[in-house]
Amino acid sequence: GDSVTQMEGPVTLSEEAFLTINCTYTATGYPSLFWYVQYPGEGLQLLLKATKADDKGSNKGFEATYRKETTSFHLEKGSVQVSDSAVYFCALDGSSNTGKLIFGQGTTLQVKP
Amino acid sequence: EAEVAQSPRYKITEKSQAVAFWCDPISGHATLYWYRQILGQGPELLVQFQDESVVDDSQLPKDRFSAERLKGVDSTLKIQPAELGDSAMYLCASSAASGRTDTQYFGPGTRLTVL
């Protein structure tokens, strides 16, 4: 079945460091791919998405490119801030085509001043 | 900005008791989702509604869980009886439709602890 695998956390970085969080997926067909972010005590917020191969999603300085050949959707940011500390979830909409999201296990990012 | 509302935010109950969670989606959103998020894991879909109809409840433990959305607006998720393994965050989300490009908006969640 469809699945998402993220890199293990926690990831600890200093402010202004470069961020990469790896995400790979297994799916039949052509899923849409998403990154959600969960700040402490809050619900999930959509960070960015891509709906077809080679699309790049971007928001708030974060970027991710839909790579069909490597089945990946890695999240990157050039310079992280303390306020980026959160849990990041990679997700895809499953082959059922009903909008159902399948999430990875989440990666905790901690940014230190 | 419109938000998905959930209550209560926290619930502590004892094993074998009944619990209920409430969700009010963004106004006009036809599709409503209930997810369960176990600590350290990603959310997993329990049930999806399109208006008042269930679209997907394949992962809902139907012997103890039930969900309804009677008028196609707000929704209630019930657990009876609660078990220790039900301790988790229960998230509600809504979207305008169920298409692949429709963004799901999540509420703050209800954190359930079963003692």
Side-chain angles (χ1 to χ4, degrees):
Chain A
D2 299 342
S3 65
V4 175
T5 302
Q6 294 181 230
M7 63 186 288
E8 294 274 345
V11 174
T12 303
L13 297 173
S14 298
E15 206 165 22
E16 298 184 3
F18 184 86
L19 168 71
T20 299
I21 300 178
N22 290 337
C23 171
T24 57
Y25 68 90
T26 301
T28 55
Y30 303 93
S32 293
L33 301 173
F34 307 83
W35 277 101
Y36 278 82
V37 58
Q38 188 173 34
Y39 298 102
E42 299 183 15
L44 277 72
Q45 301 174 25
L46 179 65
L47 183 59
L48 53 85
K49 69 180 182 182
T51 58
K52 61 182 187 296
D54 299 325
D55 267 3
K56 177 184 285 187
S58 61
N59 186 26
K60 300 181 181 179
F62 290 88
E63 293 183 340
T65 300
Y66 189 163
R67 301 287 189 198
K68 193 173 189 316
E69 63 275 14
T70 55
T71 62
S72 64
F73 193 54
H74 304 321
L75 182 68
E76 297 182 335
K77 186 176 186 183
S79 176
V80 294
Q81 305 300 312
V82 172
S83 58
D84 293 326
S85 298
V87 182
Y88 292 82
F89 292 93
C90 185
L92 61 80
D93 61 345
S95 53
S96 65
N97 203 31
T98 60
K100 170 184 177 178
L101 291 176
I102 295 170
F103 288 86
Q105 77 272 30
T107 302
T108 300
L109 171 65
Q110 183 178 19
V111 181
K112 296 185 174 180
Chain B
E1 184 175 303
E3 296 180 343
V4 176
Q6 289 188 248
S7 67
R9 291 292 305 275
Y10 304 92
K11 179 69 178 178
I12 299 174
T13 191
E14 293 188 345
K15 186 175 59 172
S16 79
Q17 296 298 304
V19 292
F21 314 131
W22 177 78
C23 172
D24 191 13
I26 293 172
S27 178
H29 278 194
T31 308
L32 185 147
Y33 308 82
W34 283 102
Y35 289 87
R36 178 171 59 184
Q37 184 182 13
I38 295 171
L39 188 64
Q41 299 182 21
E44 180 185 37
L45 182 71
L46 290 175
V47 60
Q48 177 184 348
F49 290 92
Q50 181 67 31
D51 299 310
E52 67 276 10
S53 300
V54 173
V55 173
D56 183 348
D57 64 356
S58 57
Q59 300 302 310
L60 188 71
K62 298 181 187 64
D63 57 335
R64 297 184 301 107
F65 286 63
S66 63
E68 60 183 17
R69 193 184 184 201
L70 293 177
K71 296 183 179 179
V73 181
D74 60 336
S75 176
T76 301
L77 178 69
K78 297 179 181 177
I79 308 175
Q80 182 172 17
E83 296 182 352
L84 296 178
D86 297 331
S87 294
M89 177 77 85
Y90 290 83
L91 297 166
C92 180
S94 70
S95 63
S98 61
R100 294 182 60 208
T101 58
D102 288 292
T103 298
Q104 292 185 30
Y105 296 88
F106 284 79
T110 296
R111 181 167 296 283
L112 172 67
T113 302
V114 182
L115 303 176

